[in-house]
Amino acid sequence: MIGGMARKTLLRATVSSFIALAATVSLAGCIGGGDATPTSSPTPTVTSTPSATPTPTRSATPTPTVAPTPTPTPTPTPTAAPITGVSVEILNTSYDPTVGSISVAGIVGDLVSETGVCIATATQDAATASAQSPGVPGPTMTYCSDLTIALPAGAAGTWTVELAYADSSRSGSASTSVVLE
């Protein structure tokens, strides 16, 4: 019986050892023994699914900006050179009845100019006729010649003839009467 008793004792010792081992393993997780790696709990993942209908977003309403009205800069008016009076003298007038015209010749004293214009005008009541030519510079004056005024058909009586000279800064005139005979 000794053999049977030894078997019982061995069985008791094995069962006791097994219980002790199971208790140790069970308690190791409570005391901090065992696996030191922390376990992670699952984290929820948020995903968005595109919508078939776009959702309108509010946009800011633009505030109208009023631009200041620019103040106009005045444009300077060019100042014309003052017109200086010159002395014009009629030297000759003549009427030619064959062609119905008056010829005029004159001078602009104390002025030598290549830019002026001479204009001869004949006037009677409402009728007016004129001719012009460039002034011709001389040594001490400007000549107004080759001015032939064609009168209207049937002209008769007394006509006032004016000889005028003008350039960019000077002007003057003289007049006389011509009797058509």
Side-chain angles (χ1 to χ4, degrees), residues 20 25 27 33 46 60-61 64 68 70 107 119 122 134 156 160 177:
V25 170
L27 292 174
V46 179
T61 304
I107 58 168
I119 302 170
T160 301
S177 295

Side-chain angles (χ1 to χ4, degrees), residues 83-89 106-118 135-144 164-173:
I83 302 294
T84 305
V86 292
S87 172
V88 176
E89 184 179 341
I107 58 168
V108 181
D110 298 329
L111 176 67
V112 177
S113 174
E114 296 178 357
T115 62
V117 176
C118 300
V136 178
T140 59
M141 62 190 75
T142 301
Y143 297 97
C144 293
Y165 172 85
D167 66 14
S168 62
S169 61
R170 295 167 293 258
S171 70
S173 65

Side-chain angles (χ1 to χ4, degrees), residues 118-142:
C118 300
I119 302 170
T121 305
T123 307
Q124 183 189 56
D125 300 326
T128 301
S130 64
Q132 75 177 35
S133 69
V136 178
T140 59
M141 62 190 75
T142 301

Side-chain angles (χ1 to χ4, degrees), residues 10 21 26 30 71 77 87 98 102 127 161:
L10 182 61
L21 179 64
S26 293
C30 293
T71 304
T77 305
S87 172
T98 59
I102 298 173
V161 174

